[in-house]
PDB file of all heavy atoms in Angstrom:
ATOM      1  N   LEU A   1       4.636  18.841  -6.847  1.00  0.00           N
ATOM      2  CA  LEU A   1       4.447  18.059  -8.068  1.00  0.00           C
ATOM      3  C   LEU A   1       3.674  18.811  -9.142  1.00  0.00           C
ATOM      4  O   LEU A   1       3.475  18.283 -10.240  1.00  0.00           O
ATOM      5  CB  LEU A   1       3.726  16.738  -7.739  1.00  0.00           C
ATOM      6  CG  LEU A   1       4.480  15.770  -6.825  1.00  0.00           C
ATOM      7  CD1 LEU A   1       3.618  14.564  -6.496  1.00  0.00           C
ATOM      8  CD2 LEU A   1       5.789  15.339  -7.455  1.00  0.00           C
ATOM      9  N   HIS A   2       3.209  20.019  -8.806  1.00  0.00           N
ATOM     10  CA  HIS A   2       2.435  20.855  -9.734  1.00  0.00           C
ATOM     11  C   HIS A   2       1.177  20.133 -10.222  1.00  0.00           C
ATOM     12  O   HIS A   2       0.886  20.099 -11.421  1.00  0.00           O
ATOM     13  CB  HIS A   2       3.286  21.311 -10.919  1.00  0.00           C
ATOM     14  CG  HIS A   2       4.541  22.002 -10.516  1.00  0.00           C
ATOM     15  ND1 HIS A   2       4.557  23.233  -9.892  1.00  0.00           N
ATOM     16  CD2 HIS A   2       5.834  21.620 -10.613  1.00  0.00           C
ATOM     17  CE1 HIS A   2       5.796  23.581  -9.647  1.00  0.00           C
ATOM     18  NE2 HIS A   2       6.609  22.612 -10.071  1.00  0.00           N
ATOM     19  N   ILE A   3       0.445  19.541  -9.273  1.00  0.00           N
ATOM     20  CA  ILE A   3      -0.813  18.864  -9.580  1.00  0.00           C
ATOM     21  C   ILE A   3      -1.881  19.397  -8.628  1.00  0.00           C
ATOM     22  O   ILE A   3      -1.585  20.106  -7.674  1.00  0.00           O
ATOM     23  CB  ILE A   3      -0.685  17.326  -9.452  1.00  0.00           C
ATOM     24  CG1 ILE A   3      -0.223  16.927  -8.050  1.00  0.00           C
ATOM     25  CG2 ILE A   3       0.244  16.764 -10.498  1.00  0.00           C
ATOM     26  CD1 ILE A   3      -0.182  15.433  -7.809  1.00  0.00           C
ATOM     27  N   THR A   4      -3.139  19.044  -8.900  1.00  0.00           N
ATOM     28  CA  THR A   4      -4.215  19.504  -8.029  1.00  0.00           C
ATOM     29  C   THR A   4      -4.187  18.752  -6.704  1.00  0.00           C
ATOM     30  O   THR A   4      -3.607  17.661  -6.603  1.00  0.00           O
ATOM     31  CB  THR A   4      -5.584  19.288  -8.699  1.00  0.00           C
ATOM     32  OG1 THR A   4      -5.797  17.891  -8.869  1.00  0.00           O
ATOM     33  CG2 THR A   4      -5.669  20.018 -10.034  1.00  0.00           C
ATOM     34  N   LEU A   5      -4.835  19.351  -5.731  1.00  0.00           N
ATOM     35  CA  LEU A   5      -4.876  18.740  -4.409  1.00  0.00           C
ATOM     36  C   LEU A   5      -5.622  17.400  -4.441  1.00  0.00           C
ATOM     37  O   LEU A   5      -5.215  16.439  -3.780  1.00  0.00           O
ATOM     38  CB  LEU A   5      -5.547  19.692  -3.415  1.00  0.00           C
ATOM     39  CG  LEU A   5      -5.483  19.337  -1.946  1.00  0.00           C
ATOM     40  CD1 LEU A   5      -4.036  19.215  -1.489  1.00  0.00           C
ATOM     41  CD2 LEU A   5      -6.208  20.374  -1.120  1.00  0.00           C
ATOM     42  N   SER A   6      -6.677  17.323  -5.238  1.00  0.00           N
ATOM     43  CA  SER A   6      -7.414  16.062  -5.323  1.00  0.00           C
ATOM     44  C   SER A   6      -6.593  14.965  -6.000  1.00  0.00           C
ATOM     45  O   SER A   6      -6.698  13.789  -5.638  1.00  0.00           O
ATOM     46  CB  SER A   6      -8.741  16.265  -6.049  1.00  0.00           C
ATOM     47  OG  SER A   6      -8.514  16.743  -7.348  1.00  0.00           O
ATOM     48  N   SER A   7      -5.783  15.342  -6.970  1.00  0.00           N
ATOM     49  CA  SER A   7      -4.910  14.348  -7.609  1.00  0.00           C
ATOM     50  C   SER A   7      -3.856  13.852  -6.625  1.00  0.00           C
ATOM     51  O   SER A   7      -3.530  12.654  -6.589  1.00  0.00           O
ATOM     52  CB  SER A   7      -4.217  14.937  -8.823  1.00  0.00           C
ATOM     53  OG  SER A   7      -5.151  15.257  -9.816  1.00  0.00           O
ATOM     54  N   ALA A   8      -3.331  14.751  -5.825  1.00  0.00           N
ATOM     55  CA  ALA A   8      -2.354  14.343  -4.816  1.00  0.00           C
ATOM     56  C   ALA A   8      -3.019  13.479  -3.749  1.00  0.00           C
ATOM     57  O   ALA A   8      -2.379  12.593  -3.176  1.00  0.00           O
ATOM     58  CB  ALA A   8      -1.717  15.575  -4.177  1.00  0.00           C
ATOM     59  N   GLY A   9      -4.308  13.710  -3.501  1.00  0.00           N
ATOM     60  CA  GLY A   9      -5.029  12.886  -2.529  1.00  0.00           C
ATOM     61  C   GLY A   9      -5.124  11.440  -2.955  1.00  0.00           C
ATOM     62  O   GLY A   9      -5.297  10.549  -2.124  1.00  0.00           O
ATOM     63  N   ALA A  10      -5.012  11.185  -4.244  1.00  0.00           N
ATOM     64  CA  ALA A  10      -5.027   9.807  -4.733  1.00  0.00           C
ATOM     65  C   ALA A  10      -3.811   9.029  -4.212  1.00  0.00           C
ATOM     66  O   ALA A  10      -3.840   7.798  -4.190  1.00  0.00           O
ATOM     67  CB  ALA A  10      -5.059   9.779  -6.250  1.00  0.00           C
ATOM     68  N   LEU A  11      -2.769   9.728  -3.795  1.00  0.00           N
ATOM     69  CA  LEU A  11      -1.602   9.050  -3.219  1.00  0.00           C
ATOM     70  C   LEU A  11      -1.979   8.282  -1.958  1.00  0.00           C
ATOM     71  O   LEU A  11      -1.462   7.184  -1.711  1.00  0.00           O
ATOM     72  CB  LEU A  11      -0.504  10.066  -2.885  1.00  0.00           C
ATOM     73  CG  LEU A  11       0.190  10.729  -4.062  1.00  0.00           C
ATOM     74  CD1 LEU A  11       1.106  11.840  -3.562  1.00  0.00           C
ATOM     75  CD2 LEU A  11       0.973   9.707  -4.848  1.00  0.00           C
ATOM     76  N   ILE A  12      -2.882   8.866  -1.162  1.00  0.00           N
ATOM     77  CA  ILE A  12      -3.317   8.182   0.058  1.00  0.00           C
ATOM     78  C   ILE A  12      -4.078   6.914  -0.305  1.00  0.00           C
ATOM     79  O   ILE A  12      -3.895   5.866   0.311  1.00  0.00           O
ATOM     80  CB  ILE A  12      -4.162   9.122   0.933  1.00  0.00           C
ATOM     81  CG1 ILE A  12      -3.307  10.297   1.401  1.00  0.00           C
ATOM     82  CG2 ILE A  12      -4.734   8.381   2.131  1.00  0.00           C
ATOM     83  CD1 ILE A  12      -4.066  11.350   2.178  1.00  0.00           C
ATOM     84  N   SER A  13      -4.923   7.006  -1.338  1.00  0.00           N
ATOM     85  CA  SER A  13      -5.659   5.818  -1.789  1.00  0.00           C
ATOM     86  C   SER A  13      -4.708   4.766  -2.338  1.00  0.00           C
ATOM     87  O   SER A  13      -4.878   3.571  -2.080  1.00  0.00           O
ATOM     88  CB  SER A  13      -6.672   6.200  -2.859  1.00  0.00           C
ATOM     89  OG  SER A  13      -7.618   7.093  -2.336  1.00  0.00           O
ATOM     90  N   ALA A  14      -3.705   5.199  -3.090  1.00  0.00           N
ATOM     91  CA  ALA A  14      -2.727   4.255  -3.640  1.00  0.00           C
ATOM     92  C   ALA A  14      -1.961   3.562  -2.519  1.00  0.00           C
ATOM     93  O   ALA A  14      -1.705   2.349  -2.580  1.00  0.00           O
ATOM     94  CB  ALA A  14      -1.772   4.970  -4.581  1.00  0.00           C
ATOM     95  N   PHE A  15      -1.604   4.304  -1.485  1.00  0.00           N
ATOM     96  CA  PHE A  15      -0.906   3.716  -0.336  1.00  0.00           C
ATOM     97  C   PHE A  15      -1.799   2.685   0.348  1.00  0.00           C
ATOM     98  O   PHE A  15      -1.351   1.576   0.672  1.00  0.00           O
ATOM     99  CB  PHE A  15      -0.495   4.806   0.647  1.00  0.00           C
ATOM    100  CG  PHE A  15       0.160   4.283   1.889  1.00  0.00           C
ATOM    101  CD1 PHE A  15       1.469   3.852   1.861  1.00  0.00           C
ATOM    102  CD2 PHE A  15      -0.539   4.217   3.081  1.00  0.00           C
ATOM    103  CE1 PHE A  15       2.077   3.364   3.013  1.00  0.00           C
ATOM    104  CE2 PHE A  15       0.059   3.740   4.228  1.00  0.00           C
ATOM    105  CZ  PHE A  15       1.366   3.306   4.192  1.00  0.00           C
ATOM    106  N   ALA A  16      -3.070   3.029   0.552  1.00  0.00           N
ATOM    107  CA  ALA A  16      -3.995   2.110   1.211  1.00  0.00           C
ATOM    108  C   ALA A  16      -4.203   0.844   0.379  1.00  0.00           C
ATOM    109  O   ALA A  16      -4.245  -0.262   0.929  1.00  0.00           O
ATOM    110  CB  ALA A  16      -5.327   2.804   1.459  1.00  0.00           C
ATOM    111  N   ILE A  17      -4.315   0.999  -0.930  1.00  0.00           N
ATOM    112  CA  ILE A  17      -4.479  -0.176  -1.801  1.00  0.00           C
ATOM    113  C   ILE A  17      -3.233  -1.055  -1.739  1.00  0.00           C
ATOM    114  O   ILE A  17      -3.318  -2.277  -1.700  1.00  0.00           O
ATOM    115  CB  ILE A  17      -4.793   0.269  -3.245  1.00  0.00           C
ATOM    116  CG1 ILE A  17      -6.195   0.868  -3.298  1.00  0.00           C
ATOM    117  CG2 ILE A  17      -4.662  -0.894  -4.220  1.00  0.00           C
ATOM    118  CD1 ILE A  17      -6.519   1.557  -4.603  1.00  0.00           C
ATOM    119  N   GLY A  18      -2.057  -0.425  -1.699  1.00  0.00           N
ATOM    120  CA  GLY A  18      -0.816  -1.188  -1.574  1.00  0.00           C
ATOM    121  C   GLY A  18      -0.754  -1.982  -0.284  1.00  0.00           C
ATOM    122  O   GLY A  18      -0.295  -3.134  -0.267  1.00  0.00           O
ATOM    123  N   VAL A  19      -1.245  -1.404   0.805  1.00  0.00           N
ATOM    124  CA  VAL A  19      -1.266  -2.111   2.088  1.00  0.00           C
ATOM    125  C   VAL A  19      -2.246  -3.278   2.032  1.00  0.00           C
ATOM    126  O   VAL A  19      -1.950  -4.375   2.510  1.00  0.00           O
ATOM    127  CB  VAL A  19      -1.616  -1.133   3.237  1.00  0.00           C
ATOM    128  CG1 VAL A  19      -1.886  -1.878   4.523  1.00  0.00           C
ATOM    129  CG2 VAL A  19      -0.497  -0.130   3.439  1.00  0.00           C
ATOM    130  N   VAL A  20      -3.408  -3.042   1.441  1.00  0.00           N
ATOM    131  CA  VAL A  20      -4.420  -4.103   1.352  1.00  0.00           C
ATOM    132  C   VAL A  20      -3.939  -5.252   0.477  1.00  0.00           C
ATOM    133  O   VAL A  20      -4.128  -6.426   0.806  1.00  0.00           O
ATOM    134  CB  VAL A  20      -5.754  -3.527   0.810  1.00  0.00           C
ATOM    135  CG1 VAL A  20      -6.720  -4.621   0.418  1.00  0.00           C
ATOM    136  CG2 VAL A  20      -6.378  -2.619   1.849  1.00  0.00           C
ATOM    137  N   ILE A  21      -3.305  -4.936  -0.649  1.00  0.00           N
ATOM    138  CA  ILE A  21      -2.840  -5.980  -1.565  1.00  0.00           C
ATOM    139  C   ILE A  21      -1.566  -6.652  -1.047  1.00  0.00           C
ATOM    140  O   ILE A  21      -1.402  -7.861  -1.158  1.00  0.00           O
ATOM    141  CB  ILE A  21      -2.617  -5.388  -2.972  1.00  0.00           C
ATOM    142  CG1 ILE A  21      -3.959  -4.997  -3.579  1.00  0.00           C
ATOM    143  CG2 ILE A  21      -1.889  -6.371  -3.881  1.00  0.00           C
ATOM    144  CD1 ILE A  21      -3.857  -4.253  -4.892  1.00  0.00           C
ATOM    145  N   GLY A  22      -0.668  -5.869  -0.477  1.00  0.00           N
ATOM    146  CA  GLY A  22       0.609  -6.428  -0.039  1.00  0.00           C
ATOM    147  C   GLY A  22       0.584  -7.072   1.330  1.00  0.00           C
ATOM    148  O   GLY A  22       1.428  -7.918   1.634  1.00  0.00           O
ATOM    149  N   GLY A  23      -0.364  -6.708   2.176  1.00  0.00           N
ATOM    150  CA  GLY A  23      -0.406  -7.229   3.542  1.00  0.00           C
ATOM    151  C   GLY A  23      -0.627  -8.726   3.647  1.00  0.00           C
ATOM    152  O   GLY A  23       0.156  -9.429   4.298  1.00  0.00           O
ATOM    153  N   PRO A  24      -1.683  -9.255   3.043  1.00  0.00           N
ATOM    154  CA  PRO A  24      -1.922 -10.703   3.168  1.00  0.00           C
ATOM    155  C   PRO A  24      -0.796 -11.591   2.629  1.00  0.00           C
ATOM    156  O   PRO A  24      -0.397 -12.543   3.299  1.00  0.00           O
ATOM    157  CB  PRO A  24      -3.230 -10.913   2.399  1.00  0.00           C
ATOM    158  CG  PRO A  24      -3.928  -9.596   2.518  1.00  0.00           C
ATOM    159  CD  PRO A  24      -2.837  -8.573   2.454  1.00  0.00           C
ATOM    160  N   PRO A  25      -0.230 -11.302   1.429  1.00  0.00           N
ATOM    161  CA  PRO A  25       0.887 -12.161   0.990  1.00  0.00           C
ATOM    162  C   PRO A  25       2.096 -12.091   1.923  1.00  0.00           C
ATOM    163  O   PRO A  25       2.764 -13.102   2.165  1.00  0.00           O
ATOM    164  CB  PRO A  25       1.244 -11.617  -0.389  1.00  0.00           C
ATOM    165  CG  PRO A  25       0.035 -10.926  -0.872  1.00  0.00           C
ATOM    166  CD  PRO A  25      -0.626 -10.383   0.364  1.00  0.00           C
ATOM    167  N   LEU A  26       2.354 -10.913   2.465  1.00  0.00           N
ATOM    168  CA  LEU A  26       3.473 -10.785   3.392  1.00  0.00           C
ATOM    169  C   LEU A  26       3.195 -11.562   4.684  1.00  0.00           C
ATOM    170  O   LEU A  26       4.094 -12.182   5.241  1.00  0.00           O
ATOM    171  CB  LEU A  26       3.738  -9.311   3.698  1.00  0.00           C
ATOM    172  CG  LEU A  26       4.993  -9.009   4.490  1.00  0.00           C
ATOM    173  CD1 LEU A  26       6.229  -9.499   3.746  1.00  0.00           C
ATOM    174  CD2 LEU A  26       5.102  -7.527   4.758  1.00  0.00           C
ATOM    175  N   ALA A  27       1.954 -11.538   5.137  1.00  0.00           N
ATOM    176  CA  ALA A  27       1.589 -12.307   6.330  1.00  0.00           C
ATOM    177  C   ALA A  27       1.757 -13.805   6.090  1.00  0.00           C
ATOM    178  O   ALA A  27       2.252 -14.531   6.944  1.00  0.00           O
ATOM    179  CB  ALA A  27       0.162 -11.981   6.736  1.00  0.00           C
ATOM    180  N   ILE A  28       1.347 -14.263   4.915  1.00  0.00           N
ATOM    181  CA  ILE A  28       1.498 -15.692   4.580  1.00  0.00           C
ATOM    182  C   ILE A  28       2.966 -16.062   4.444  1.00  0.00           C
ATOM    183  O   ILE A  28       3.399 -17.117   4.899  1.00  0.00           O
ATOM    184  CB  ILE A  28       0.703 -16.017   3.298  1.00  0.00           C
ATOM    185  CG1 ILE A  28      -0.794 -15.904   3.574  1.00  0.00           C
ATOM    186  CG2 ILE A  28       1.060 -17.410   2.785  1.00  0.00           C
ATOM    187  CD1 ILE A  28      -1.659 -15.961   2.341  1.00  0.00           C
ATOM    188  N   LEU A  29       3.743 -15.169   3.820  1.00  0.00           N
ATOM    189  CA  LEU A  29       5.170 -15.425   3.631  1.00  0.00           C
ATOM    190  C   LEU A  29       5.910 -15.567   4.964  1.00  0.00           C
ATOM    191  O   LEU A  29       6.802 -16.403   5.100  1.00  0.00           O
ATOM    192  CB  LEU A  29       5.793 -14.298   2.811  1.00  0.00           C
ATOM    193  CG  LEU A  29       7.281 -14.404   2.521  1.00  0.00           C
ATOM    194  CD1 LEU A  29       7.538 -15.540   1.542  1.00  0.00           C
ATOM    195  CD2 LEU A  29       7.802 -13.105   1.954  1.00  0.00           C
ATOM    196  N   THR A  30       5.516 -14.785   5.936  1.00  0.00           N
ATOM    197  CA  THR A  30       6.210 -14.798   7.233  1.00  0.00           C
ATOM    198  C   THR A  30       5.507 -15.639   8.284  1.00  0.00           C
ATOM    199  O   THR A  30       5.857 -15.598   9.463  1.00  0.00           O
ATOM    200  CB  THR A  30       6.352 -13.355   7.755  1.00  0.00           C
ATOM    201  OG1 THR A  30       5.048 -12.785   7.929  1.00  0.00           O
ATOM    202  CG2 THR A  30       7.154 -12.498   6.800  1.00  0.00           C
ATOM    203  N   LEU A  31       4.527 -16.437   7.872  1.00  0.00           N
ATOM    204  CA  LEU A  31       3.729 -17.225   8.806  1.00  0.00           C
ATOM    205  C   LEU A  31       4.563 -18.170   9.654  1.00  0.00           C
ATOM    206  O   LEU A  31       4.311 -18.321  10.855  1.00  0.00           O
ATOM    207  CB  LEU A  31       2.666 -18.015   8.024  1.00  0.00           C
ATOM    208  CG  LEU A  31       1.682 -18.844   8.838  1.00  0.00           C
ATOM    209  CD1 LEU A  31       0.812 -17.925   9.682  1.00  0.00           C
ATOM    210  CD2 LEU A  31       0.817 -19.665   7.901  1.00  0.00           C
ATOM    211  N   HIS A  32       5.551 -18.799   9.089  1.00  0.00           N
ATOM    212  CA  HIS A  32       6.319 -19.812   9.823  1.00  0.00           C
ATOM    213  C   HIS A  32       7.626 -19.285  10.395  1.00  0.00           C
ATOM    214  O   HIS A  32       8.438 -20.084  10.874  1.00  0.00           O
ATOM    215  CB  HIS A  32       6.576 -21.015   8.912  1.00  0.00           C
ATOM    216  CG  HIS A  32       5.320 -21.691   8.492  1.00  0.00           C
ATOM    217  ND1 HIS A  32       4.535 -22.410   9.353  1.00  0.00           N
ATOM    218  CD2 HIS A  32       4.682 -21.736   7.301  1.00  0.00           C
ATOM    219  CE1 HIS A  32       3.477 -22.874   8.730  1.00  0.00           C
ATOM    220  NE2 HIS A  32       3.544 -22.480   7.463  1.00  0.00           N
ATOM    221  N   TRP A  33       7.823 -17.981  10.353  1.00  0.00           N
ATOM    222  CA  TRP A  33       9.023 -17.416  10.968  1.00  0.00           C
ATOM    223  C   TRP A  33       8.874 -17.483  12.479  1.00  0.00           C
ATOM    224  O   TRP A  33       7.780 -17.300  13.008  1.00  0.00           O
ATOM    225  CB  TRP A  33       9.227 -15.981  10.537  1.00  0.00           C
ATOM    226  CG  TRP A  33       9.665 -15.816   9.102  1.00  0.00           C
ATOM    227  CD1 TRP A  33       9.777 -16.773   8.158  1.00  0.00           C
ATOM    228  CD2 TRP A  33      10.042 -14.599   8.474  1.00  0.00           C
ATOM    229  NE1 TRP A  33      10.190 -16.236   6.964  1.00  0.00           N
ATOM    230  CE2 TRP A  33      10.369 -14.898   7.140  1.00  0.00           C
ATOM    231  CE3 TRP A  33      10.124 -13.290   8.903  1.00  0.00           C
ATOM    232  CZ2 TRP A  33      10.789 -13.922   6.243  1.00  0.00           C
ATOM    233  CZ3 TRP A  33      10.542 -12.334   8.010  1.00  0.00           C
ATOM    234  CH2 TRP A  33      10.870 -12.650   6.694  1.00  0.00           C
TER     235      TRP A  33
END
């Protein structure tokens, strides 16, 4: 991507934030399955 290693490391943080934000709504959505 022609970026610094620390900037690319933000991808891991973005992934973790996505899991934290997306996990609970998905759990609630599938609660009665």
Side-chain angles (χ1 to χ4, degrees):
L1 296 176
H2 306 293
I3 57 175
T4 64
L5 190 58
S6 60
S7 295
L11 291 172
I12 296 175
S13 298
F15 177 76
I17 290 170
V19 170
V20 167
I21 292 173
L26 188 60
I28 292 170
L29 180 70
T30 61
L31 183 65
H32 297 290
W33 288 6

